Amino acid sequence: MSYRLHRYRSADGRLELAARDYRADDNGAPALLLMHGLTRNSADFEPLAEHLAGAYRLIVPDQRGRGLSQWDSDASNYRPDIYVQDMLALLGELGIAQFGVIGTSMGGLMAMVMAAMQPERVSAMVLNDIGPVLEAEGIARIQGYVSPGKEMANWDEAAQRIAISNAPAFPHYGPGDWLAFAQRTCIQNPNGTISFAYDPAIAESMNGENPSTVPPDLWPLWDGLQSIPTLVIRGGISDLLSAQTVAEMGRRHSGPFDAVEIPHVGHAPILNEPAALDAILPFLAEQVH
């Protein structure tokens, strides 16, 4: 799946950031902004992009400190409100006035913030395993693996390292799945070793009882998003987003709202699972034009 790599300046002007721009054949195709989770990058959406790129213009950024985007020397800038400003700068530079958004985990938090700030621009949201309440068990697990540790000798070792951290969320994965996972989340260094494709300082944003990546009490924010058509994807065995939270999200949302669970998957679904595609594709076709 081909894309153009777009380079742009961060909202504060300090960093060079990168985004994939999958341009649909039709120049008038609606735009979708796809935003990854805490330790991921734009490659995280490659499996989903195969199903969307023909009908939509996909803008898939590497948030600061990830993928091909520059690392920030000030680790306190690794937080959702800063990322949101970067996204608005990116969309402004590309001349995109209205867009749908798909956000995985941290990217979903960003989606809610963007929709609250500029609801007239966000045509619809797909929130991937994220909501106004994050379970303590899931936060603790993320805190346990976010520090990337030492370099890995080769891709096999990288796949094994990722499997150790993520096996509870993907119990059906085999060696080939873990290798593909590693190749989306890691980079090969000039000396042949493998590293995770993010700044280790990102771990600081998950430190302590009140991590800066996890804003407190998001129900007031959610309650202000009732005009935004929303689809919530939940991993059926997720330890971060509970079924009870999803039900309460639906109860409080008066506009178009749907939710689906992806069986036998934890945090967070890759979004190419059949149940995910069966929900996402018709939702976008109806809500994003």
Side-chain angles (χ1 to χ4, degrees):
M1 190 65 61
S2 62
Y3 59 86
R4 179 179 68 88
L5 186 66
H6 179 72
R7 302 277 188 177
Y8 68 104
R9 300 303 298 178
S10 59
D12 56 20
R14 299 172 50 249
L15 306 175
E16 183 181 76
L17 306 182
R20 300 183 182 194
D21 186 352
Y22 296 79
R23 294 184 173 183
D25 293 336
D26 177 8
N27 289 333
L32 290 175
L33 176 67
L34 280 58
M35 298 187 294
H36 60 72
L38 180 69
T39 62
R40 307 289 181 85
N41 58 74
S42 58
D44 200 44
F45 287 105
E46 288 177 350
L48 177 61
E50 295 180 9
H51 301 272
L52 298 178
Y56 304 94
R57 181 180 180 183
L58 307 181
I59 309 302
V60 194
D62 291 330
Q63 302 300 332
R64 60 173 68 195
R66 284 87 163 174
L68 298 178
S69 287
Q70 190 175 351
W71 293 6
D72 198 318
S73 60
D74 182 355
S76 68
N77 288 327
Y78 289 138
R79 62 180 200 265
D81 60 318
I82 299 290
Y83 305 143
V84 164
Q85 293 300 325
D86 291 339
M87 295 301 93
L88 295 175
L90 169 61
L91 293 168
E93 185 169 306
L94 294 175
I96 295 174
Q98 190 171 44
F99 54 94
V101 61
I102 300 175
T104 292
S105 194
M106 181 191 77
L109 295 176
M110 295 166 57
M112 289 190 282
V113 173
M114 293 179 75
M117 291 174 60
Q118 299 186 0
E120 72 284 355
R121 297 184 66 187
V122 179
S123 54
M125 294 191 300
V126 177
L127 304 178
N128 184 19
D129 214 55
I130 198 71
V133 176
L134 306 185
E135 300 299 314
E137 177 185 357
I139 292 175
R141 180 180 56 80
I142 293 170
Q143 289 173 322
Y145 75 70
V146 65
S147 182
K150 64 179 182 179
E151 295 177 349
M152 296 155 283
N154 50 49
W155 283 111
D156 286 341
E157 184 181 341
Q160 292 167 8
R161 175 95 65 87
I162 286 175
I164 291 171
S165 299
N166 293 277
F170 301 96
H172 59 289
Y173 269 23
D177 299 305
W178 292 121
L179 178 59
F181 201 130
Q183 291 173 337
R184 292 194 303 269
T185 55
C186 299
I187 56 172
Q188 188 164 31
N189 301 311
N191 65 358
T193 62
I194 309 298
S195 298
F196 286 97
Y198 63 89
D199 182 354
I202 287 168
E204 296 180 26
S205 71
M206 286 298 296
N207 288 343
E209 295 183 2
N210 298 298
S212 61
T213 293
V214 185
D217 190 14
L218 287 172
W219 283 120
L221 178 67
W222 175 253
D223 290 340
L225 302 179
Q226 295 190 21
S227 65
I228 310 295
T230 301
L231 170 65
V232 177
I233 307 290
R234 178 182 180 267
I237 54 174
S238 174
D239 60 0
L240 192 69
L241 178 65
S242 72
Q244 291 78 13
T245 295
V246 175
E248 180 66 9
M249 292 170 74
R251 189 188 71 80
R252 293 184 180 216
H253 198 278
S254 61
F257 178 89
D258 200 3
V260 64
E261 284 199 353
I262 312 304
H264 314 303
V265 173
H267 184 77
I270 301 301
L271 300 182
N272 68 337
E273 300 88 354
L277 292 173
D278 286 347
I280 292 170
L281 296 181
F283 173 79
L284 293 176
E286 181 176 356
Q287 302 295 347
V288 181
H289 306 105

